[in-house]
Amino acid sequence: MKKILVFFVFAILLSISAYPVQAVDRLFEVQSVDTMKYSRDGAQNQDIIDQIPVLVDKIASIYPSHIAIATPYDEEFYPVLATWVGEARKHGLNVWFRGNFSAWEGWFGYEKFKDPNEHHTKTYAFITKHPDLFREGDIFTPAPEPENGGFGDPRRSEEIRRKFFEFLPESYDICMKAFATIGRNVKCGYFSTNGDVAKMIPSTVLMQSGGVQVIDHYVKSPEELIRDIQELYDINHLPIILGEYGAPIPDIHGELSDSQQEQLIRKNLIELVKLRNIVKGINYWTAFGGSTKVFSDDLKPKSAVNTLREYFDPIKTTGQVVDEWDEPIAGATVGIQNLDMTVTDAQGIFSFVSTKDFNKATVTHEGYRSSSFLIPSRDHKNIHNIKIRMNKNGRSLMELFQIILYQLGFSKRGES
């Protein structure tokens, strides 16, 4: 009888209940998948428009917040760009515009700008001419990897560095003015550079260019990736977004099998999630084509697709923390294993997102015994709602007896 009673008490202390509270949706503010190998490199391919619906559908299956499109902004390519954007909207996706004018680097036989500042007038004209391309939540980068064109790499000379640092805020301002003109709330800037260039950019320039640090970064190990991110953050203390991240790069990682690619991507994502107070977004480069692709050439998903999906569409958990009498406990801390913490509101409600790599949570509150629980296995269609009972320290034997009777349904609160 004693064992049965203990079992019932334990079962009640961790019971499941329903609380219709919307959980936080994502681990990162920006969760993007890149299409450059097709959206830019294939922009003059006569068959690309027919392929775009299938390609976007594949990317949508990963549940990103954004699809990164690198189609040039020249009018020649507008039909291709508009098709990419239109298909993205059908799937409810925001767009990260990571294209440029072909004259910036001399793509597709275009002559390079004689004056790189011509980029400003062209950017304004392009945005204001095509307002229907854009919607709230999009990101528009006038010049991804600006060191590869225009004035050139700022490491080459003091004169280039000065012009480069002037160009970024000027380009940002033009972009913002253009979107204000057409009445679209689109984020501008996100000028991705390589890590070495990023470390050179003064905080004043970054703040005048959108207030984020965006790097296209490929390194051998998760440890190196996290170290580089932390070092960059320590310079300017501004949020960081990975404008390009992917694996494997043969010269860096060697040749990896399908499963080895998945394992490396998972290890990197685990570490990036731990730094999500610093890392606000990632753009996986790239979905198709090249060594880092996550869909094979016949568009079948590789193992890495499931991993990206786990992190882009995480487990959404909500619940309520209560005492032995089912009274809500406000201010309880719910810590997710090696991840972060949330605090219950006045009704004892908590909400967080996680993955199967972070599946243990611990609840603490001064004056109560801590309680741990495992996050239930994923159910794609439902949010898991959990009731957690905490035992208050210092209860008398009479209180404990009354609580047991209450929890077994033999009495109401306070009845003996």
Side-chain angles (χ1 to χ4, degrees):
M1 180 68 183
K2 183 178 180 181
K3 290 183 178 179
I4 295 175
L5 182 60
V6 170
F7 170 79
F8 275 109
V9 171
F10 178 79
I12 292 168
L13 289 175
L14 263 178
S15 59
I16 303 296
S17 183
Y19 296 92
V21 176
Q22 182 63 48
V24 178
D25 285 331
R26 299 187 178 277
L27 289 166
F28 301 100
E29 293 176 10
V30 177
Q31 299 181 166
S32 178
V33 178
D34 204 285
T35 63
M36 193 191 81
K37 289 292 185 179
Y38 279 67
S39 61
R40 188 187 78 185
D41 295 356
Q44 285 186 327
N45 182 343
Q46 297 300 312
D47 300 325
I48 190 64
I49 286 181
D50 293 333
Q51 298 175 33
I52 291 171
V54 176
L55 298 175
V56 175
D57 183 69
K58 295 293 182 183
I59 289 176
S61 72
I62 303 176
Y63 297 98
S65 62
H66 292 71
I67 179 172
I69 299 172
T71 307
Y73 303 143
D74 311 287
E75 286 302 311
E76 171 192 350
F77 302 105
Y78 177 76
V80 175
L81 178 58
T83 303
W84 279 105
V85 173
E87 292 299 319
R89 303 310 188 203
K90 291 178 183 178
H91 292 277
L93 297 176
N94 281 113
V95 174
W96 185 348
F97 293 86
R98 297 190 78 236
N100 202 331
F101 295 98
S102 297
W104 183 255
E105 294 187 37
W107 301 330
F108 300 107
Y110 280 65
E111 183 181 355
K112 289 186 179 182
F113 288 125
K114 293 180 180 178
D115 178 5
N117 288 311
E118 186 181 349
H119 192 275
H120 300 325
T121 56
K122 281 186 169 291
T123 298
Y124 184 88
F126 172 76
I127 293 172
T128 54
K129 183 177 179 179
H130 302 294
D132 292 341
L133 276 181
F134 310 104
R135 78 175 189 188
E136 183 173 354
D138 288 348
I139 300 169
F140 188 92
T141 299
E145 299 180 347
E147 70 270 24
N148 291 340
F151 296 105
D153 194 318
R155 292 171 292 183
R156 289 171 52 195
S157 72
E158 286 296 327
E159 178 66 14
I160 292 176
R161 184 180 304 186
R162 179 184 63 80
K163 292 180 178 179
F164 186 86
F165 292 162
E166 289 175 353
F167 173 83
L168 296 182
E170 289 172 357
S171 181
Y172 174 80
D173 287 344
I174 289 294
C175 180
M176 292 294 291
K177 289 176 182 177
F179 283 113
T181 299
I182 65 173
R184 297 288 191 276
N185 184 18
V186 172
K187 294 179 180 178
C188 287
Y190 290 65
F191 298 100
S192 57
T193 66
N194 67 52
D196 291 335
V197 171
K199 291 177 182 178
M200 297 173 56
I201 305 176
S203 58
T204 52
V205 173
L206 290 169
M207 290 303 297
Q208 294 168 356
S209 308
V212 293
Q213 303 176 94
V214 186
I215 54 173
D216 296 348
H217 206 50
Y218 303 91
V219 292
K220 188 173 182 62
S221 68
E223 293 77 16
E224 189 176 355
L225 177 64
I226 297 308
R227 185 193 67 216
D228 291 350
I229 289 173
Q230 188 66 60
E231 287 180 357
L232 180 60
Y233 180 78
D234 290 342
I235 294 173
N236 291 307
H237 298 284
L238 291 172
I240 293 171
I241 289 178
L242 289 178
E244 289 182 12
Y245 154 74
I249 303 294
D251 290 346
I252 297 174
H253 307 103
E255 299 290 341
L256 300 183
S257 67
D258 189 348
S259 62
Q260 288 173 325
Q261 179 195 31
E262 185 276 332
Q263 291 169 13
L264 178 57
I265 291 172
R266 180 178 295 277
K267 288 178 182 178
N268 279 297
L269 287 170
I270 288 172
E271 298 305 317
L272 288 169
V273 166
K274 293 177 187 177
L275 273 186
R276 68 192 186 115
N277 61 317
I278 294 174
V279 179
K280 299 303 180 181
I282 59 175
N283 176 44
Y284 185 83
W285 194 93
T286 178
F288 319 102
S291 60
T292 63
K293 64 188 176 187
V294 292
F295 290 94
S296 60
D297 292 339
D298 60 1
L299 300 185
K300 291 181 179 179
K302 300 173 70 177
S303 300
V305 165
N306 289 330
T307 298
L308 286 173
R309 186 184 294 123
E310 284 178 28
Y311 278 80
F312 282 7
D313 185 31
I315 301 170
K316 305 170 182 69
T317 302
T318 61
Q320 185 183 39
V321 177
V322 298
D323 65 11
E324 304 97 318
W325 300 105
D326 288 328
E327 292 294 322
I329 299 177
T333 298
V334 183
I336 302 91
Q337 167 194 355
N338 296 321
L339 187 54
D340 52 17
M341 296 184 295
T342 186
V343 177
T344 59
D345 65 13
Q347 299 304 313
I349 303 296
F350 64 86
S351 173
F352 60 83
V353 293
S354 61
T355 75
K356 70 180 183 182
D357 296 315
F358 301 93
N359 67 346
K360 184 177 181 180
T362 301
V363 187
T364 58
H365 192 287
E366 186 176 359
Y368 291 83
R369 299 176 190 172
S370 63
S371 177
S372 297
F373 64 95
L374 293 178
I375 300 163
S377 59
R378 179 184 184 84
D379 181 340
H380 183 72
K381 295 182 179 179
N382 298 310
I383 293 175
H384 295 289
N385 300 284
I386 302 174
K387 177 186 280 188
I388 304 298
R389 282 200 178 100
M390 300 188 73
N391 295 321
K392 191 172 184 179
N393 295 328
R395 296 285 193 190
S396 67
L397 289 176
M398 179 58 70
E399 285 178 312
L400 292 175
F401 179 70
Q402 290 175 330
I403 287 168
I404 291 172
L405 292 177
Y406 164 74
Q407 292 181 356
L408 292 175
F410 295 136
S411 70
K412 297 180 180 180
R413 179 175 180 177
E415 293 181 347
S416 58

